[in-house]
Amino acid sequence: MSSNMKSYTSIIVVVLLSVLYSLEAQLQVGFYAKTCPLAETTVKQQVTKAFRSNNGIAPGLLRMHFHDCFVRGCDASILINSTSNNTAEKDSPANNPSLRGFDVIDNAKAILETLCKGTVSCADILAFAARDSIALTKGPLYAVPSGRRDGRVSLASEILGNIPAPTMNVAQLTTNFANKQLTQDEMVTLSGAHTIGRSHCTTITQVDDRIYNFNGTNAPDPALNSNYVPQLQKACPQGSTDTTSVVPMDPTSPLLTDVKYYTNVLVNKGLFTSDWTLRTDSATANAVSQNARNQILWFTKFTAAIIKMGQIGVVTGTDGEIRTNCRVIN
């Protein structure tokens, strides 16, 4: 092991211990050690199996965890199906058709129901799956505090105002994350998750058009790297309504959890307005620069931030339920 990796490991351990020490009492690492000892292993096996077939599943699961936690807290409400009487979160335009990985959660849940019926929550499975996805894309390893229970409500109408939009500026992003008790620096840190994953072309040509008609100018956003614009235009023709066309959010290393997202932002290759805007504020621009220069630093901060994010609005104790099927309320 290199000296850099040894240093990285030591830093991660120290940070994890401090983060875990401060966790709210209702969540704990190893929550299922006695009641379902194979819980985390089972989830990891299913995520790994899916990843080997389609490596795009990793960013999909990570994004799903994020979108779950930002609406009603980390209660697996993102997994609930719509009914004739209700449009659920997963069918909001912000999530459909872009969210993916539901079948991975279903498979893990089905196995766990045979091993330890009614024990492991869908919310915890999703948190474990996000952690495993980060590890599979060469990101930091971390322990997931668990003990979440599942919520019983999922409303597409609650997406607006909770999920940060790609068109948001730095002030709006800061407020959005502050509403979830996350700091501005944690916002910048978690934005680094855009180092893996993809965007549908319809998002960057219709919702946040920086490549054809920025702010009604019939021209690309002048802040966007001029060498990057032709790449995006080639991948996403103007006027196309093809919802299957996608582009990587990190054109440099789209399948690796690394700091290339930040180096891209520094050279104006941030895909969304919400990426570019991090350069417009002195504090966030400084954080971007620091992260770009030091992957160990960002890994450490990211680990702490995602553990904290995973505690937003958790349902614990006797509240909520343990769903038998993650898609349906018991």
Side-chain angles (χ1 to χ4, degrees):
M1 179 183 290
S2 69
S3 59
N4 285 342
M5 284 305 297
K6 288 179 180 177
S7 299
Y8 154 69
T9 302
S10 298
I11 291 171
I12 289 294
V13 169
V14 171
V15 171
L16 282 179
L17 287 177
S18 64
V19 171
L20 298 178
Y21 181 79
S22 65
L23 286 173
E24 297 178 24
Q26 67 266 31
L27 297 184
Q28 57 182 297
V29 173
F31 181 83
Y32 297 107
K34 293 182 179 180
T35 58
C36 192
L38 293 178
E40 296 191 43
T41 299
T42 299
V43 175
K44 181 178 180 180
Q45 289 173 342
Q46 292 305 305
V47 173
T48 302
K49 179 181 177 181
F51 181 79
R52 287 172 178 166
S53 298
N54 176 9
N55 52 26
I57 206 68
L61 290 168
L62 176 57
R63 182 168 180 258
M64 192 186 296
H65 180 45
F66 176 86
H67 279 218
D68 180 46
C69 290
F70 265 57
V71 181
R72 291 189 166 266
C74 311
D75 66 346
S77 55
I78 193 71
L79 304 175
I80 297 174
N81 283 348
S82 295
T83 66
S84 59
N85 300 318
N86 177 65
T87 303
E89 292 172 31
K90 64 166 55 174
D91 288 320
S92 161
N95 293 325
N96 187 1
S98 58
L99 281 189
R100 49 188 168 153
F102 293 102
D103 55 333
V104 180
I105 305 301
D106 290 340
N107 293 340
K109 179 61 173 174
I111 294 170
L112 289 173
E113 282 298 300
T114 64
L115 295 175
C116 31
K117 185 175 178 62
T119 302
V120 183
S121 70
C122 300
D124 278 341
I125 292 173
L126 186 49
F128 295 147
R131 181 267 311 276
D132 298 334
S133 296
I134 293 167
L136 285 166
T137 52
K138 310 302 181 184
L141 300 173
Y142 61 94
V144 174
S146 50
R148 301 166 187 79
R149 287 169 65 86
D150 300 323
R152 297 189 177 101
V153 177
S154 182
L155 303 170
S157 59
E158 293 184 342
I159 295 295
L160 186 64
N162 281 300
I163 299 296
T167 55
M168 282 186 172
N169 62 36
V170 70
Q172 292 168 324
L173 289 169
T174 299
T175 298
N176 179 273
F177 277 68
N179 289 339
K180 309 301 176 184
Q181 288 72 57
L182 294 167
T183 67
Q184 184 182 69
D185 189 66
E186 287 166 336
M187 178 270 289
V188 177
T189 299
L190 290 169
S191 294
H194 282 183
T195 189
I196 55 175
R198 64 191 190 183
S199 168
H200 282 73
C201 284
T202 49
T203 299
I204 63 170
T205 61
Q206 297 177 25
V207 178
D208 186 29
D209 187 354
R210 302 180 67 207
I211 62 175
Y212 290 113
N213 187 27
F214 177 68
N215 285 347
T217 61
N218 290 315
D221 183 347
L224 198 58
N225 188 295
S226 59
N227 294 323
Y228 189 33
V229 172
Q231 298 175 36
L232 295 174
Q233 291 179 335
K234 182 178 180 180
C236 301
Q238 188 172 21
S240 174
T241 58
D242 181 4
T243 57
T244 63
S245 296
V246 296
V247 290
M249 289 187 288
D250 172 359
T252 307
S253 54
L255 297 176
L256 293 177
T257 295
D258 58 21
V259 295
K260 294 297 175 60
Y261 164 80
Y262 297 105
T263 58
N264 286 330
V265 169
L266 290 175
V267 295
N268 292 325
K269 289 186 178 181
L271 185 63
F272 302 135
T273 295
S274 59
D275 299 317
W276 169 80
T277 193
L278 300 181
R279 296 193 59 184
T280 65
D281 172 89
S282 59
T284 58
N286 182 58
V288 168
S289 296
Q290 288 184 338
N291 293 338
R293 293 194 304 266
N294 192 332
Q295 182 157 290
I296 293 173
L297 171 66
W298 178 65
F299 273 9
T300 303
K301 291 166 59 177
F302 184 77
T303 297
I306 198 167
I307 290 174
K308 182 179 176 181
M309 186 198 78
Q311 298 179 73
I312 296 173
V314 292
V315 182
T316 61
T318 57
D319 294 332
E321 63 184 20
I322 303 295
R323 278 184 233 138
T324 301
N325 178 339
C326 291
R327 295 175 182 254
V328 182
I329 300 166
N330 290 347

